[in-house]
Amino acid sequence: MKQCNILFTSSGRRVSLIRHFRNVLNDLGIEGLIVTADLKSTSPAAFVSDYHELVPRVLDDSYIPALKKICKKYDIHLLIPLIDTELAILAKHKEEFEELGVTVLVSSIETNEICFDKRKTGRFFVENGFDTPKEYVIEEIINDPNANYPYLIKPAKGSSSIGVYKVRNREELLFFKDYISEPVLQEFVKGKEYTIDVLVDFDGKVVTAVPRLRMETRAGEVSKGMTVRNELLIHSARRVVEKLPGAVGCITLQCFLTDKNEVKFIEINPRFGGGFPLSIAAGADFPRFIIESLLGKPPSINVDDWKDGLVMLRYDDAIFVNKDDI
């Protein structure tokens, strides 16, 4: 294959990631189109791709047929989904895309089901011997006069830290248990929070892991972060991902490292995370590895040779377009 056309779905604001894939194609001397798909024509990513296609909502019955049509139109070789809600759907239709010659960078149905529901994620950690915040029965805590507040409450199927709250007393718990859809009540953990980007090749082998300290967050995404070569975090993350059935691509873990040097895993997102550009800048070029692997080429770089202590300070930027272009 001398050409690699890539489709990014739910492309939204993922400008930096998409630009990097374009740069990788250019650096490797590979011809290829960058196509984005989104619900809106005002998606910023639409203006850094070669072509942008409007699609129905992810949960609409016509979503998969619309993506297949795009794949045929542009002779897509690689499809990369970018939000949680479409991962399980694309996993179920993965073989259908393969029949069109499209490799979908998505993990198995089972892994996506584990990751999407926080209750299943917690059970996965416990059953495989990984430390994770303890989960509580809400009614038992409400009726316990000796309950040890604070706790953390969050939706079972949430993302981007939406609906996550610290519960400091019984009155707050009574409110949030009805306010949040399918609430999960957990132990409140103190410690430094990390995101760990783990690369899994197309054969299911873990290649590398890059811990990123979440120094500051905004709207659920890291706004200030730093790469940290902590061997405990790296080893623990690799072990977690090795237990996931049919994992592939970028698997993003979140955890706390406590003062007692305990790693408490809280979340798994089997996709590129919003703060992933930091790992790229540090030298963990997952996109390059993925493209070269797809083309049957030996890796031209060592993705495990990334820079420790690189700090990312994110800021707002803008794309300016004419009204007739949206």
Side-chain angles (χ1 to χ4, degrees), residues 21-178:
F21 269 90
R22 161 56 67 200
N23 292 337
V24 169
L25 291 178
N26 292 340
D27 289 345
L28 294 174
I30 297 170
E31 293 184 4
L33 298 175
I34 298 294
V35 183
T36 52
D38 199 87
L39 181 66
K40 300 177 180 179
S41 62
T42 53
S43 161
F47 300 94
V48 298
S49 60
D50 297 308
Y51 298 97
H52 183 71
E53 295 283 345
L54 298 182
V55 292
R57 293 186 180 278
V58 168
L59 299 180
D60 194 291
D61 290 339
S62 60
Y63 183 65
I64 293 298
L67 293 186
K68 288 181 180 179
K69 185 176 180 181
I70 295 170
C71 288
K72 293 176 183 178
K73 179 179 180 180
Y74 296 103
D75 188 23
I76 296 297
H77 303 102
L78 178 63
L79 189 158
I80 302 177
L82 295 175
I83 62 170
D84 297 328
T85 50
E86 66 179 336
L87 298 179
I89 296 170
L90 282 166
K92 292 176 182 177
H93 295 273
K94 189 174 183 177
E95 291 183 359
E96 298 171 30
F97 283 94
E98 289 176 351
E99 292 174 0
L100 300 176
V102 181
T103 297
V104 183
L105 196 68
V106 67
S107 297
S108 67
I109 297 172
E110 186 178 355
T111 281
N112 278 292
E113 289 177 346
I114 289 170
C115 300
F116 188 62
D117 190 321
K118 304 299 184 293
R119 295 162 297 193
K120 292 182 179 179
T121 307
R123 286 196 293 270
F124 167 82
F125 288 138
V126 172
E127 290 170 0
N128 287 283
F130 301 110
D131 204 355
T132 190
K134 183 178 178 181
E135 190 173 325
Y136 297 92
V137 176
I138 292 177
E139 294 303 325
E140 290 182 1
I141 298 301
I142 288 174
N143 296 321
D144 183 0
N146 299 313
N148 187 24
Y149 291 92
Y151 297 96
L152 190 78
I153 193 168
K154 59 185 179 181
K157 299 178 181 178
S159 63
S160 301
S161 297
I162 297 172
V164 179
Y165 298 98
K166 180 180 180 180
V167 176
R168 294 166 292 185
N169 51 55
R170 184 174 182 271
E171 288 70 29
E172 290 185 351
L173 181 54
L174 285 168
F175 171 77
F176 283 117
K177 79 177 182 66
D178 294 325

Side-chain angles (χ1 to χ4, degrees), residues 56 66 78 148 155 186 195 197 210 248:
L78 178 63
N148 187 24
Q186 292 181 333
T195 297
D197 296 318
V210 186
V248 69

